[in-house]
Amino acid sequence: MKKICINLAFLAFLLTFHISQATASDFDVIKKRVIANLLGQDVPDKAVETMVNTIKPDGTWSHIDYEDVSNEGFQHSEHAANMVTMARAYKKKGSAFYKSKKVKQAITLAFKHWVENDYICKNWWHNEVGTPTNLVNLMLLIGDELPKDLVEKGQPIIGRAHIDGPGARPGGDRIKIAGIQAKNMLFTGDLQTFNEVIRVIENEIKSVEWIGREYGYTFKHHDGGFANRSAGGRGIQYDNSFHHRTDGVNNTLSYGMGYADAFIEWAVYTAGTDYAFSGEKIEKLVDYYLDGICKTAVFGKYPDAGKKNRSISRPGDLCSYSAKSVENLLKTTNYRRRELQEIADIRNKGIKPTLSHATFFWNTEHFTFQRPDWFTSVRMYSTRTHNMEVPYNSEGLLNHHRGDGANHISRTGDEYYDIFPVFDYQMIPGATIMQKESLPPPNQIQKLGQTHFVGAVTDGTYGAAALDFKSPHDPLIARKAWFFFDDAYVALGSGISCTQQLPVVTTLNQCLLRGDVILSTEGKQSLLSRGEKKHDNVDWVFHDGIGYLFPQKTSVGLQNNHVTGSWWNISKQTSTDKSPVTKEIFKLWIDHGKRPSDELYAYIVVPATTPEKMKRLRYENHIDILMNSPEIQAVKNKDLEITQVVFYRGGEITINENLHLSSDNQGIVMVKMKEGRLAEISVSDPSRELNRFNLSVSAKIDKQGENFQTAWNADQGTTHISIALPQDNYAGDSVTIQLN
């Protein structure tokens, strides 16, 4: 018996030893992968030569300001990046500086200067993310060849990137900081801590409950600062958007991209090892990437200008996305592989997307709509969300109105590329704005929405969005709605009222001028010369493949000429270019006059069209505007047999001579007919107040479902339909019922 026990103990020892060895082997595999990735980037030989030749004996570069550690400054980050660039040149075979003693000496000088001065920026991000990232990459590339005393002095600086550090709050920062710490553990050889950090990264891939979903009241109970270590609504939302902070602002294409990229990076590094992430977590990330990031982007390739925040004040912010992240995801899973491959091909090969979608991010009040030839979005906010990101670090200084129903439209994805230094920030595409002499100060940009009826209805392919708008900046109100179909969408506004004696305008678009502008007035087309002018009795306007059709003759303002501005107007970073920027701009708007009262507008946007098609549409329009009042806004597409209705309060609408629709409550309804018979109804509750949606139709329906009941009233000739609405984390989402 004793011998058996000894043998069992020995077997247990062997098993533990084997696992330990396997883990150590995997650890080395991962380290090699990380270093290989660092070396995979190109080496800019000329830049390296300049760095080496211009470094001073004290390890500094004369063009860098080492005194300014402000949020807007901290050029020290260039110093830190230079060290990594030189290290890559030194270690990469084939580089002109491979194993160069002069380069190694320059690296040592620069690193010695850094650790002896330990520069601290007033912006915490540099201290806990930016600087540690550069230094840990430096260590992995060349740390084993640098003086040990300098390496030891560098460890506390790298160590500021720590999962228990102040900046490692749940959401976008935590996963980045954990990744830096994991790399440092690879360098120091700490297997145990490395494993702990990898598990932290893996467990960050999850949906979090939005703290503002109950009318925003819970905002006051949550601190979004460094002291708050709970999620507090930060991270992937249940609608697949991303919140970086507790303000409800959509950060999907900024922090949310970095969040996904950090996880993808470590999913690839750890693939096939004992440290690999679970299939469940990988699939969750794929869902977020495809249904969140890609459905927010134009064709999954270009950033949606309407979704961007303060980063629009950085040149190149709207450049197309690389396929690298998608290609890396494909290395880790076969889940939704065809969709991932299509995004990779769209980004690499420029193919057209096959996916048509209508997507509403109900925790973020953002709607996107895509067809293979065009993409558009609507940015809104409510009592549950703030309108815009705070202008941190003096960026995005004029963004006050960019959430006020912004409606950007794209055919190519680059219609707004670097337009923002010359942009008129009181003429946001889609928004209705009071025209002031100047915008309020930047510290007045972020505001909590003042109305709760904000949302959309969608069946995944078609949809409508609505905004009960009350400006937090101006004494202005309006009811605004958008109705989306395959080849066009309708924008309606009603109840537009302002108590100040200033003009109010609704802007149809403001984008880069591309080619001719053609205008039709009372059936007569004209090619417009450059300039800015008011035009009366307009039927339609055409520019850059997009048509703007007016169901009733409308007076519009139109500009198509040069505009001069500066990046410095919207960003006060020390690196910001202050020189004048001139671009050609197309701008189209409707002027509601000074101090309007109960004004309205209606226009149809026809993307991917021609002047010839616009001329025919004037007479052959297949879209009917059924109602445009402060109570009900409704549109019918006769070809698709789809009617979309926004009920700001209960009411009735006539869809055709045989079908009337009434709602007992406020909400948004989409009705689909098939060969004249009622086939499908989609509903949503933008207010998030209802448990059930109650409506009636003048048709006999005896079908029941798991989430709806019907009751025929023979005396009235109507069927009452009661539909269960999504609740809790899905409140604001749509539900669709099949009737035929």
Side-chain angles (χ1 to χ4, degrees):
M1 185 69 177
K2 185 176 181 181
K3 185 176 181 180
I4 293 175
C5 290
I6 292 173
N7 287 342
L8 288 175
F10 182 66
L11 287 172
F13 168 76
L14 286 178
L15 181 61
T16 302
F17 179 76
H18 172 74
I19 293 173
S20 176
Q21 290 298 103
T23 303
S25 175
D26 288 342
F27 186 86
D28 291 336
V29 167
I30 294 169
K31 182 177 181 179
K32 289 177 181 177
R33 289 174 177 173
V34 173
I35 294 173
N37 184 58
L38 289 172
L39 290 172
Q41 301 177 40
D42 293 334
V43 175
D45 288 341
K46 289 185 178 179
V48 172
E49 183 178 9
T50 299
M51 293 173 197
V52 173
N53 291 336
T54 58
I55 193 169
K56 296 162 66 176
D58 65 351
T60 65
W61 283 275
S62 58
H63 69 282
I64 294 177
D65 181 355
Y66 289 89
E67 298 297 323
D68 184 2
V69 294
S70 67
N71 287 358
E72 295 78 14
F74 207 67
Q75 296 177 14
H76 311 69
S77 58
E78 181 183 344
H79 179 118
N82 284 353
M83 293 190 287
V84 179
T85 301
M86 291 189 296
R88 185 178 293 113
Y90 177 81
K91 295 291 285 191
K92 186 169 184 174
K93 292 180 180 179
S95 162
F97 302 98
Y98 180 65
K99 294 295 183 179
S100 164
K101 292 182 180 179
K102 190 175 182 182
V103 170
K104 182 180 177 181
Q105 182 182 13
I107 294 169
T108 304
L109 280 174
F111 186 47
K112 182 175 184 293
H113 177 83
W114 193 282
V115 297
E116 288 180 349
N117 288 274
D118 189 13
Y119 292 108
I120 300 294
C121 183
K122 291 182 179 179
N123 180 354
W124 74 272
W125 184 90
H126 287 285
N127 308 324
E128 296 186 39
V129 179
T131 296
T133 295
N134 281 314
L135 293 193
V136 78
N137 288 343
L138 178 68
M139 293 299 101
L140 287 167
L141 285 168
I142 198 176
D144 56 345
E145 295 188 42
L146 295 176
K148 290 185 178 180
D149 63 318
L150 297 182
V151 172
E152 290 176 1
K153 290 179 180 178
Q155 274 300 301
I157 302 174
I158 298 172
R160 291 184 184 123
H162 192 282
I163 56 174
D164 294 322
R169 299 162 294 175
D173 293 323
R174 185 169 175 79
I175 196 168
K176 284 185 180 179
I177 288 173
I180 299 166
Q181 187 177 4
K183 287 183 180 179
N184 199 36
M185 296 305 98
L186 290 174
F187 174 69
T188 62
D190 188 340
L191 276 72
Q192 180 177 345
T193 305
F194 177 79
N195 182 62
E196 293 172 0
V197 174
I198 290 298
R199 298 286 74 87
V200 167
I201 295 174
E202 180 181 22
N203 290 326
E204 280 295 301
I205 300 298
K206 59 188 176 185
S207 294
V208 297
E209 182 173 290
W210 173 228
I211 60 172
R213 65 181 173 85
E214 294 182 359
Y215 320 110
Y217 295 153
T218 56
F219 274 120
K220 60 187 177 185
H221 299 305
H222 290 78
D223 177 13
F226 288 118
N228 184 357
R229 312 313 293 171
S230 66
R234 296 174 293 200
I236 298 176
Q237 303 299 297
Y238 279 85
D239 62 3
N240 280 312
S241 62
F242 189 88
H243 292 178
H244 180 64
R245 302 182 179 89
T246 61
D247 54 12
V249 172
N250 194 326
N251 297 118
T252 305
L253 296 187
S254 52
Y255 295 99
M257 287 278 288
Y259 175 96
D261 288 342
F263 189 90
I264 293 168
E265 179 185 20
W266 284 102
V268 173
Y269 289 153
T270 60
T273 73
D274 287 347
Y275 300 99
F277 299 148
S278 70
E280 178 186 358
K281 293 294 187 179
I282 295 289
E283 290 180 7
K284 172 67 178 175
L285 179 70
V286 171
D287 288 340
Y288 167 62
Y289 200 89
L290 288 173
D291 298 331
I293 290 172
C294 291
K295 286 185 178 178
T296 298
V298 180
F299 311 137
K301 180 177 181 178
Y302 301 92
D304 172 12
K307 188 64 67 78
K308 284 288 192 171
N309 299 305
R310 62 191 166 100
S311 65
I312 55 102
S313 57
R314 304 168 192 165
D317 184 56
L318 295 185
C319 67
S320 62
Y321 292 127
S322 160
K324 181 179 178 181
S325 294
V326 188
E327 291 168 344
N328 281 336
L329 269 176
L330 287 166
K331 296 175 183 177
T332 67
T333 183
N334 285 318
Y335 178 65
R336 301 181 70 175
R337 188 173 189 85
R338 185 194 64 78
E339 296 167 82
L340 288 171
Q341 187 60 57
E342 178 169 294
I343 294 297
D345 291 342
I346 289 170
R347 294 180 181 183
N348 281 330
K349 302 176 182 179
I351 69 167
K352 280 188 177 182
T354 62
L355 178 66
S356 293
H357 71 83
T359 304
F360 180 55
F361 301 97
W362 61 87
N363 283 338
T364 309
E365 316 292 22
H366 195 88
F367 182 92
T368 63
F369 189 86
Q370 178 173 288
R371 291 298 181 263
D373 290 318
W374 58 283
F375 175 97
T376 189
S377 67
V378 180
R379 179 170 183 157
M380 305 172 288
Y381 55 97
S382 67
T383 54
R384 300 170 291 271
T385 55
H386 286 80
N387 61 334
M388 179 56 60
E389 187 180 49
V390 168
Y392 297 104
N393 307 320
S394 299
E395 294 181 301
L397 301 177
L398 303 178
N399 284 350
H400 302 70
H401 295 290
R402 289 190 54 243
D404 295 2
N407 174 217
H408 294 77
I409 171 70
S410 291
R411 290 190 311 106
T412 60
D414 62 353
E415 286 86 355
Y416 306 95
Y417 187 80
D418 280 356
I419 192 176
F420 298 103
V422 301
F423 204 64
D424 183 341
Y425 286 86
Q426 293 194 87
M427 287 194 173
I428 308 296
T432 301
I433 302 171
M434 186 184 80
Q435 302 298 292
K436 302 169 285 296
E437 185 176 342
S438 62
L439 288 166
N443 63 5
Q444 293 298 308
I445 287 177
Q446 187 174 80
K447 299 288 184 181
L448 186 64
Q450 299 187 27
T451 60
H452 66 275
F453 189 94
V454 179
V457 68
T458 172
D459 63 356
T461 305
Y462 301 97
L467 167 63
D468 182 11
F469 179 61
K470 183 178 182 180
S471 174
H473 294 293
D474 304 317
L476 171 69
I477 60 172
R479 295 270 168 86
K480 298 170 66 67
W482 298 259
F483 306 83
F484 298 89
F485 307 106
D486 288 322
D487 56 359
Y489 66 92
V490 181
L492 299 181
S494 63
I496 301 168
S497 302
C498 180
T499 60
Q500 195 163 337
Q501 194 69 26
L502 287 173
V504 172
V505 306
T506 296
T507 303
L508 282 69
N509 206 352
Q510 180 184 184
C511 60
L512 296 173
L513 180 64
R514 303 275 176 82
D516 295 332
V517 177
I518 299 173
L519 180 142
S520 173
T521 303
E522 297 184 329
K524 297 180 180 179
Q525 289 182 213
S526 58
L527 182 65
L528 298 187
S529 57
R530 298 296 178 88
E532 179 176 338
K533 186 179 178 182
K534 179 183 176 183
H535 301 269
D536 296 322
N537 300 316
V538 176
D539 306 316
W540 52 263
V541 175
F542 173 86
H543 167 253
D544 193 24
I546 300 173
Y548 308 87
L549 178 67
F550 300 97
Q552 295 182 342
K553 293 180 177 62
T554 302
S555 295
V556 301
L558 195 153
Q559 179 181 9
N560 59 327
N561 60 6
H562 292 86
V563 178
T564 298
S566 169
W567 290 103
W568 182 251
N569 292 338
I570 54 177
S571 172
K572 298 299 191 236
Q573 293 278 299
T574 58
S575 59
T576 301
D577 187 358
K578 297 180 181 179
S579 60
V581 174
T582 299
K583 292 181 181 291
E584 292 189 319
I585 299 300
F586 168 78
K587 187 163 61 176
L588 179 65
W589 68 93
I590 299 170
D591 190 339
H592 304 295
K594 293 183 178 180
R595 197 175 184 179
S597 178
D598 205 24
E599 289 293 317
L600 51 77
Y601 64 81
Y603 60 88
I604 302 172
V605 179
V606 188
T609 191
T610 64
E612 291 71 26
K613 290 181 180 178
M614 292 301 297
K615 187 176 182 179
R616 290 198 301 271
L617 281 175
R618 179 172 177 256
Y619 300 101
E620 303 171 5
N621 189 20
H622 57 283
I623 293 175
D624 283 343
I625 297 173
L626 302 180
M627 191 174 294
N628 184 20
S629 74
E631 291 78 31
I632 298 176
Q633 293 172 312
V635 172
K636 179 171 69 174
N637 186 303
K638 291 176 286 190
D639 290 352
L640 294 173
E641 293 189 276
I642 295 175
T643 301
Q644 300 167 348
V645 188
V646 179
F647 291 100
Y648 293 98
R649 63 184 184 189
E652 182 176 350
I653 189 79
T654 298
I655 294 178
N656 59 43
E657 59 183 9
N658 298 315
L659 184 64
H660 303 277
L661 169 71
S662 63
S663 175
D664 296 348
N665 45 253
Q666 60 182 10
I668 311 180
V669 182
M670 178 164 63
V671 175
K672 286 187 177 180
M673 310 288 287
K674 187 174 183 180
E675 297 177 354
R677 296 183 62 189
L678 188 58
E680 182 179 296
I681 297 177
S682 300
V683 298
S684 74
D685 172 27
S687 68
R688 278 71 153 178
E689 293 179 341
L690 305 174
N691 292 319
R692 304 189 70 86
F693 201 112
N694 293 294
L695 52 85
S696 298
V697 292
S698 58
K700 186 174 182 179
I701 300 171
D702 55 13
K703 186 173 183 179
Q704 309 289 328
E706 290 185 4
N707 60 348
F708 73 97
Q709 293 87 40
T710 63
W712 168 247
N713 186 320
D715 293 337
Q716 296 180 1
T718 61
T719 299
H720 183 266
I721 306 172
S722 181
I723 305 170
L725 290 167
Q727 300 296 306
D728 300 322
N729 291 311
Y730 296 90
D733 194 9
S734 301
V735 60
T736 298
I737 62 171
Q738 304 293 333
L739 300 176
N740 186 0

